[in-house]
């Protein structure tokens, strides 16, 4: 039987973790980005569908490609962040199911069933995006997830000719707590948001 993580680990991933709007001038390495994915990929998805696709926007040229599609409030902090992950969803994810879910003909469940494709892709791609945040925090990095951007523009720029669509963005790096960090907003109490049946 496994033991609970120590309190400082839970603080790092959940209780003390914040959404950062300013970033220290410290690089995030390609190795760290591989580590993020290599942790996040193990989070569960329906039928191991794994529809998330990531583009880690890091180079100056790639940042300039992204910049025109950012909302006014997100542009400066995204340009400052060492890396911005485009968390996207592959709506042809089922083509990989013969490898990912080999013990059944799972691909046949989806072919021609657009409703099932959409709900499975969106639900599980979003789950995987949350796993990316948890993985980055577990590795000592900070995150700034956001949805203020032109989705159609980003999709045309980064995913043209594919069935991949962006879902949200995550700035990743080392957060600067000295500036632009809001007080933590309240959360709902258990009795408001949860029940035990």
């Amino acid at each position: 039987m496994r033991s609970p993580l120590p309190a400082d680990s839970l603080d790092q991933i959940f209780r003390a973790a914040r959404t950062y709007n300013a970033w220290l001038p410290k690089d995030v390495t390609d190795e760290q980005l591989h580590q993020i994915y290599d942790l996040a990929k193990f989070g569960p998805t329906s039928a191991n569908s794994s529809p998330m696709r990531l583009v880690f926007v890091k180079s100056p040229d790639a940042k300039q490609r992204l910049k025109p599609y950012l909302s006014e409030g997100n542009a400066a902090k995204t340009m400052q962040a060492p890396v911005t992950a485009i968390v996207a969803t592959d709506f042809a994810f089922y083509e990989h199911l013969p490898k990912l879910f080999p013990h059944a003909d799972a691909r046949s469940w989806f072919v021609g069933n657009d409703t099932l494709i959409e709900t499975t892709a969106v639900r599980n791609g979003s789950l995987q995006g949350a796993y990316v945040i948890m993985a980055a925090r577990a590795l000592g990095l900070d995150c700034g997830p956001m949805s203020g951007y032109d989705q159609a523009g980003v999709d045309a720029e980064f995913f043209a000719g594919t069935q991949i669509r962006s879902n949200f963005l995550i700035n990743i790096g080392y957060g600067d707590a000295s500036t632009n960090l809001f007080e933590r907003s309240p959360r709902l109490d258990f009795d408001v948001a949860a029940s035990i049946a």
Side-chain angles (χ1 to χ4, degrees):
M1 176 176 284
R2 291 178 177 84
S3 300
L5 292 175
D8 61 340
S9 296
L10 296 175
D11 287 344
Q12 178 173 319
I13 298 170
F14 294 103
R15 293 186 291 242
R18 301 298 306 279
T19 294
Y20 281 87
N21 296 301
W23 303 92
L24 298 172
K26 185 176 178 182
D27 186 43
V28 174
T29 67
D30 291 358
E31 180 183 359
Q32 287 173 297
L33 299 177
H34 280 268
Q35 290 172 338
I36 290 170
Y37 177 73
D38 285 338
L39 288 175
K41 71 183 180 183
F42 288 114
T45 57
S46 171
N48 200 30
S49 53
S50 306
M52 180 187 69
R53 304 294 180 262
L54 293 170
V55 175
F56 289 111
V57 179
K58 183 177 177 184
S59 72
D61 287 346
K63 288 274 193 167
Q64 289 306 309
R65 289 172 58 201
L66 179 62
K67 186 176 181 179
Y69 307 110
L70 299 169
S71 67
E72 183 178 346
N74 287 336
K77 62 185 176 183
T78 301
M79 292 300 100
Q80 185 191 35
V83 176
T84 301
I86 303 173
V87 179
T89 305
D90 185 356
F91 288 83
F93 67 88
Y94 52 88
E95 297 295 353
H96 297 277
L97 288 176
K99 173 182 177 176
L100 296 174
F101 201 75
H103 33 280
D105 182 16
R107 180 182 178 276
S108 67
W109 305 342
F110 295 95
V111 175
N113 190 338
D114 291 342
T115 300
L116 185 60
I117 290 169
E118 179 81 15
T119 57
T120 301
V122 170
R123 178 181 299 119
N124 291 282
S126 298
L127 273 173
Q128 288 189 284
Y131 302 148
V132 167
I133 295 169
M134 299 299 103
R137 289 175 171 177
L139 292 168
L141 294 160
D142 296 306
C143 294
M146 56 194 169
S147 56
Y149 72 100
D150 175 353
Q151 183 181 24
V154 167
D155 293 353
E157 182 67 33
F158 289 90
F159 305 115
T162 73
Q163 292 190 54
I164 299 172
R165 297 200 307 263
S166 58
N167 188 350
F168 61 98
L169 310 177
I170 309 170
N171 287 332
I172 300 173
Y174 297 90
D176 184 353
S178 70
T179 180
N180 294 331
L181 187 61
F182 302 116
E183 291 295 323
R184 182 183 287 285
S185 298
R187 301 300 198 264
L188 295 174
D189 291 334
F190 183 96
D191 291 341
V192 176
S195 62
I196 299 173

